[in-house]
Amino acid sequence: GAVVSQHPSRVICKSGTSVKIECRSLDFQATTMFWYRQFPKQSLMLMATSNEGSKATYEQGVEKDKFLINHASLTLSTLTVTSAHPEDSSFYICSARDPGQPIYEQYFGPGTRLTVT
Amino acid sequence: RKEVEQDPGPFNVPEGATVAFNCTYSNSASQSFFWYRQDCRKEPKLLMSVYSSGNEDGRFTAQLNRASQYISLLIRDSKLSDSATYLCVVNIITGGFKTIFGAGTRLFVKA
């Protein structure tokens, strides 16, 4: 089946620094990727939809200047958490849609656990 | 009101038990429905799609009631390995594509 990778799987950073998370589709070209955040014991919350070659669409309440998304190629989307704070500590998961598959098919990356100290 | 609501859990059941999870959704524009399984500190993995006609995959049976906006998952003959969080997931297509996850129901199967 389709594979999506994320890097890094775990990152610890100091408050005020920026962190970049990569999401790659390994065996298909993803025109659309999604970024989710999951706090402990809560559901995945969609942060933004990343479209290749255009600006990302952010969900209400998600600061686009804080969470920078770049989808410059059909196989790579990046999420940069700028000026990270402890409250940004969370599990960040990306997913990708294969345009050759039904619209509802999403393939999830393994997630990135961010800890801001 | 949350767009997708699930049983609060956790469910603690012995091996071999039958357990049922319920989920309701509020957006009538919901198009497709799924159950995902999420293990601790891992990404969600698709368990099965949910159709109005009902569908069964081994020990798992899923059912959709569009009129009541209700989804269910039945697990028969529970195994220790079924212990996980089960997420009810709804796709909404209205001018765009959006996936809404329920908060999940935690299942513990004990020997």
Side-chain angles (χ1 to χ4, degrees), chain A residues 34 97-106, chain B residues 32 91 93 96-97 99:
Chain A
F34 304 91
R97 278 180 49 208
D98 181 347
Q101 297 299 319
I103 191 171
Y104 51 77
E105 291 266 9
Q106 284 188 70
Chain B
S32 51
N91 284 336
I93 303 176
F97 175 89
T99 299

Side-chain angles (χ1 to χ4, degrees), chain B residues 25-37:
Chain B
Y25 61 94
S26 60
N27 193 322
S28 58
S30 300
Q31 298 280 346
S32 51
F33 310 87
F34 308 89
W35 284 100
Y36 276 72
R37 169 191 171 130

Side-chain angles (χ1 to χ4, degrees), chain B residues 16-98:
Chain B
T18 296
V19 60
F21 301 144
N22 303 317
C23 171
T24 57
Y25 61 94
S26 60
N27 193 322
S28 58
S30 300
Q31 298 280 346
S32 51
F33 310 87
F34 308 89
W35 284 100
Y36 276 72
R37 169 191 171 130
Q38 186 175 26
D39 292 290
C40 189
R41 296 176 175 264
K42 301 284 187 182
E43 77 276 21
K45 293 189 185 294
L46 179 64
L47 182 64
M48 59 197 307
S49 304
V50 190
Y51 307 111
S52 298
S53 55
N55 51 310
E56 186 174 316
D57 182 3
R59 299 181 292 107
F60 299 83
T61 301
Q63 188 75 50
L64 164 66
N65 184 319
R66 282 190 182 269
S68 302
Q69 298 188 177
Y70 171 92
I71 304 160
S72 65
L73 176 68
L74 184 76
I75 304 176
R76 291 181 298 278
D77 189 23
S78 299
K79 310 292 184 189
L80 295 176
S81 56
D82 293 334
S83 298
T85 297
Y86 291 83
L87 307 174
C88 175
V89 180
V90 173
N91 284 336
I92 300 170
I93 303 176
T94 51
F97 175 89
K98 191 171 179 178

